[in-house]
Amino acid sequence: MNNRMIAYVIGRILLTEAALLLFPLLVAVLYGESAAPFLAPALLLVLCGLAMSAKKPRSTALYARDGLAVVALAWICVSLFGALPFVLSGDIPHYVDAFFETVSGFTTTGSSILTAVEPLSRGGLFWRSFTHWVGGMGVLVFVMAILPMSDGHGMHLLRAEVPGPSVGKLVSRMSDTAKILYGIYFVMTVVEIVLLLVGGMPLFDAMVHAFGTAGTGGFSCRNLSIGAYDNPYFDIVIGTFMLLFGINFNLYYFLLIRRFRDVFRSEELRAYALIVAAAVTAIALNISHLYEGFAVSLRHAFFQVSSVITTTGYATVDFNAWPTFSKTILVVLMFVGACAGSTGGGIKVARIVILTKTSLCDMRKMLHPNAVATVRFEGKPLGDRNIRSVHLFLTVYLLVFTGSCLLLSLEHMDLVTTFTAVASCMNNIGPGLELVGPMGNFSAFSSWSKLLLSFDMLAGRLEIFPILLLFAPSIWKHKLPAKRT
């Protein structure tokens, strides 16, 4: 382990977070609120960041395990410091609650311990949603975009942070890839803000909801979420952009360079569109008796399917009151998630497609043992290593999920609340069902349960392994160079 380089990179990340706190500080000043809750943590971050990164180490090499450690530690650190403004402002007085809310923000989960959000300060509301926007594409991707690192270790950081089965460069330099990703991300966010303003949404509200949509996070500045506006235009705009941010961002780059054939040939994109269309149709038909007209049912089904499959978590209605069939579909979509390389969470559509193809291939081999069968994805044959990595992810995912459910069951909540609380946090959804439904929250859980669910949120956002490997003693062993004889 190159501990000095790890500390150096985390120091730069802390300095970046200090700069990010200037945005909610400015919002607080504009609304006549105290700037101290943001200024004090920013100064503390600067001191810690400079202490860790004032001198660049001689050895700047970062290998795979170093990249995993950096990503996990960076997300924990930004969450620990990011919780301070909520405590200092009095918006969330208890630190564990503030930490849970901050982790939920950066991991773009959207789960909340707040019973009401409208009483919060404007600066606090802005920071709460701004963490979605920063965490959506990735904290380290953001840092690489504005403070480029050498490509030699940038790739390890990107692979450890960006969700999905595989990550590759869009262009030759890793820093340029980060800039392209955030450039596309920024433009799409601005377009959504403009469209919401055109519909009559106030600027502050438009920015908050655009941040939540872009990061597929779901924090709102209204207690009733998007349902507070009761405007079909907002439902359509936000629902559409949730789906767009759930698509692999590599495909947007292909559109920019006019590689249209690569976009339309994407198996994952086709599967994603098919799942959304089937789920919307099934739910709309199932809830049609609850609303006046099929068009209204279709709109609500479209919005909630878009919100759940992209793991955003916004709500226009209380889907906890929908029929069991519709709620079951939404729970299934929680696990499916969005596309690899998007800002969404979940297992990812790419893994679902690969697992389905692998299962069918194995069943064919049972019928025809001597047949030679190859699993292909996106037009390319998948090697045994790729297939093993998908199976490994699913196995560890299920082990962590089961363990979390067992531990959370000690709270003596009902089964649906316990199961969907873990599912919503680990898949970075936000709301679950029953007590943690769209009209509920996580305030009833004890402090240790909130820390457990915070762990689940971080594990889900970072694809499990970076967080789990922090507990492996071997990752911290520093190998000394062999002595010359």
Side-chain angles (χ1 to χ4, degrees), residues 42-94:
L43 292 176
L44 180 61
L45 282 163
V46 169
L47 290 175
C48 294
L50 289 176
M52 297 172 73
S53 63
K55 185 177 180 181
K56 193 171 185 177
R58 290 183 179 180
S59 174
T60 60
L62 280 179
Y63 300 100
R65 66 174 183 173
D66 300 315
L68 292 168
V70 167
V71 168
L73 292 172
W75 280 74
I76 293 172
C77 288
V78 296
S79 298
L80 289 170
F81 284 100
L84 294 177
F86 295 121
V87 178
L88 295 177
S89 66
D91 286 337
I92 307 177
H94 301 291

Side-chain angles (χ1 to χ4, degrees), residues 357-376:
K357 287 190 170 188
T358 304
S359 300
L360 293 173
C361 181
D362 288 342
M363 284 190 286
R364 282 197 296 268
K365 287 182 179 179
M366 291 173 66
L367 296 173
H368 308 284
N370 296 324
V372 178
T374 303
V375 178
R376 302 179 69 86

